């Protein structure tokens, strides 16, 4: 039996493939390499280059590799791009996932873990977000992820059990395995700050320093990508107990300001991070921190890698890749 990992050549996907393999599971990766990296898939893991929006291919993979469950990462995931090109997101996320689910039903694969996001919530009404928090996504990226969660909930009636994992701010790396964050374009704070400290990227612009937070910059909940990978393994194990569909927040519950992250990067780099202060970025809430009580109690999951470990691992990955 194998686990099919769609998008397994991407950032969180490749770390999850590594994690599942280390726990002795057979994995097959399907990735179209539109944003993923072939070299992020370890030797010995069956790899198929193709789209989840190809039902015949998905059915063939499921039958050839005796797939028992799917972890579905393959997606478009840039918030800004989703605003300028929503069609790419509705097609690449919702239409493609609908095709994938049809193929899974045809292949009689009844279990799926879905890569979702805190972007499904929109502007927080409370500093710590529970899964029951109102969902008013502020961009097409978050809307497409929410619609897919609703699709999964409906498809439970067709025999597909699923869990959506809503990541807060994924960061960090596994430098000893050559795995880390390599988006193009890069929009995320930690790799941009490291690039600025290394001199491989321009000085960072901090988006706003007039928020009602302790130092005026935005607060986020950073979670190590390997802690996220661990959650996927635990969610796969939980699927047999799920009554249809459910969702879990994945975050540490601790918030750090942008300035605190820059200080942490400066400690790892041994030099300050060159930065300037600019205007707020549209759509950025002041504070976004998870309440992951549900994942802690039902999945027995807890993130164990703190912000200094996240930044140290990312620093080693980016300085090795220089
Ligand atoms: N930031 C800067 N300058 C930059 C980049 C980021 O100041 O050049 C700030 C942002 O304003 C924010 C923080 O750093 O306060 C983190 O920003 P990221 O872009 O790294 O992450 P986001 O919090 O915007 O987004 C993350 C995920 C999204 C997801 C969202 C959920 O990356 O996929 O959380 O709200 F949608």
């Amino acid at each position: 039996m194998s686990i099919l990992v769609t998008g397994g050549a991407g950032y969180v996907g490749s770390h999850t493939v590594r994690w599942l393999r280390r726990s002795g599971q057979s994995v097959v990766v399907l990735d179209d390499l539109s944003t993923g990296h072939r070299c992020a898939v370890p030797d010995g893991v069956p790899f198929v280059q193709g789209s989840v929006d190809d039902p015949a291919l998905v059915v063939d993979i499921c039958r050839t590799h005796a797939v028992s469950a799917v972890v579905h990462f393959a997606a478009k995931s840039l918030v800004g791009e989703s605003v300028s090109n929503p069609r790419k997101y509705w097609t690449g996320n919702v239409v493609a996932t609908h095709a994938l689910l049809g193929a899974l039903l045809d292949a009689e694969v009844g279990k799926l873990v879905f890569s979702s996001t805190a972007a499904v919530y929109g502007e927080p009404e409370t500093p710590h977000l529970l899964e029951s928090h109102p969902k008013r996504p502020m961009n097409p990226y978050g809307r497409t992820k929410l619609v897919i969660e609703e699709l999964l909930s409906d498809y439970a009636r067709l025999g597909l059990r699923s869990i959506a994992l809503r990541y807060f701010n994924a960061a960090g790396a596994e430098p000893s395995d050559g795995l880390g964050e390599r988006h193009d374009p890069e929009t995320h704070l930690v790799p941009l700050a490291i690039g600025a400290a290394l001199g491989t990227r321009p000085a960072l612009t901090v988006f706003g320093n007039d928020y009602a937070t302790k130092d005026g910059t935005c607060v986020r909940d950073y979670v190590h990508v390997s802690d996220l990978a661990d959650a996927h393994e635990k969610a796969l194990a939980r699927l047999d107990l799920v009554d249809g569909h459910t969702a879990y927040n994945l975050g540490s519950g601790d918030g750090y300001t942008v300035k605190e992250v820059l200080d942490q990067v400066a400690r790892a780099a041994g030099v300050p991070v060159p930065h300037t202060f600019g205007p707020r970025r549209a759509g950025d809430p002041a504070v976004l921190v998870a309440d992951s009580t549900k994942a802690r109690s039902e999945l027995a999951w807890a993130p164990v890698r703190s912000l200094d470990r996240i930044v140290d691992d990312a620093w080693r990955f980016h300085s090795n890749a220089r």
Side-chain angles (χ1 to χ4, degrees):
M1 300 291 252
S2 293
I3 311 291
L4 169 60
V5 181
T6 76
Y11 176 43
V12 186
S14 61
H15 286 80
T16 301
V17 168
R18 168 190 175 276
W19 190 273
L20 293 174
R21 289 249 301 168
R22 292 202 162 192
S23 69
Q25 309 214 42
S26 293
V27 173
V28 52
V29 169
L30 172 63
D31 197 303
D32 66 4
L33 298 183
S34 58
T35 54
H37 305 275
R38 177 66 182 88
C39 60
V41 181
D43 291 340
V45 171
F47 173 79
V48 179
Q49 183 171 356
S51 170
V52 297
D53 195 7
D54 182 344
L57 178 65
V58 172
V59 170
D60 182 54
I61 294 169
C62 290
R63 295 201 171 131
T64 304
H65 296 273
V67 168
S68 58
V70 177
V71 187
H72 177 37
F73 294 100
K76 306 297 168 201
S77 64
L78 296 175
V79 172
E81 183 187 55
S82 80
V83 175
S84 58
N85 190 359
R87 184 176 181 179
K88 183 171 177 180
Y89 282 72
W90 284 94
T91 306
N93 292 353
V94 177
V95 175
T97 299
H98 185 255
L100 171 71
L101 300 191
L104 297 183
L105 293 176
D106 289 346
E108 296 178 354
V109 176
K111 296 194 271 189
L112 183 137
V113 175
F114 174 57
S115 166
S116 192
T117 169
V120 298
Y121 295 112
E123 188 67 42
E125 292 178 0
T126 51
H128 286 72
L129 274 70
L130 282 165
E131 288 81 0
S132 54
H133 184 282
K135 282 145 210 92
R136 289 189 275 270
M138 294 161 71
N139 49 64
Y141 168 65
R143 269 192 289 281
T144 61
K145 289 286 183 174
L146 182 58
V147 165
I148 293 168
E149 288 195 17
E150 289 168 349
L151 180 63
L152 288 170
S153 179
D154 285 348
Y155 271 42
R157 295 188 75 86
L158 303 178
L160 184 67
R161 288 175 200 217
S162 59
I163 288 176
L165 298 178
R166 297 178 185 149
Y167 317 150
F168 281 64
N169 285 66
E174 285 297 340
S176 50
D177 287 320
L179 295 180
E181 198 166 3
R182 279 188 287 166
H183 297 113
D184 184 19
E186 187 55 79
T187 61
H188 294 108
L189 178 64
V190 172
L192 290 178
I194 289 173
L198 283 169
T200 54
R201 293 186 187 274
L204 184 95
T205 303
V206 176
F207 298 139
N209 59 351
D210 58 351
Y211 287 97
T213 60
K214 63 180 173 183
D215 62 22
T217 64
C218 287
V219 171
R220 293 289 181 274
D221 183 338
Y222 297 88
V223 57
H224 195 289
V225 63
S226 288
D227 283 324
L228 292 181
D230 175 34
H232 290 77
E233 185 190 6
K234 293 187 158 82
L236 282 166
R238 177 82 190 174
L239 275 168
D240 286 327
L241 301 173
V242 168
D243 182 20
H245 171 81
T246 195
Y248 296 96
N249 284 341
L250 299 181
S252 69
D254 295 323
Y256 293 93
T257 67
V258 173
K259 276 190 187 166
E260 287 172 328
V261 173
L262 298 190
D263 288 345
Q264 195 64 50
V265 172
R267 273 193 285 278
V271 293
V273 178
H275 65 277
T276 56
F277 292 99
R280 294 181 177 194
R281 182 171 67 177
D284 267 348
V287 180
L288 197 56
V289 179
D291 183 328
S292 294
T293 307
K294 186 179 170 192
R296 286 171 190 268
S297 67
E298 293 183 12
L299 298 180
W301 174 81
V304 295
R305 296 162 183 82
S306 56
L307 183 68
D308 56 343
R309 169 77 184 272
I310 289 172
V311 169
D312 283 352
D313 284 347
W315 169 259
R316 284 198 290 132
F317 172 74
H318 288 286
S319 30
N320 292 344
R322 209 163 24 153

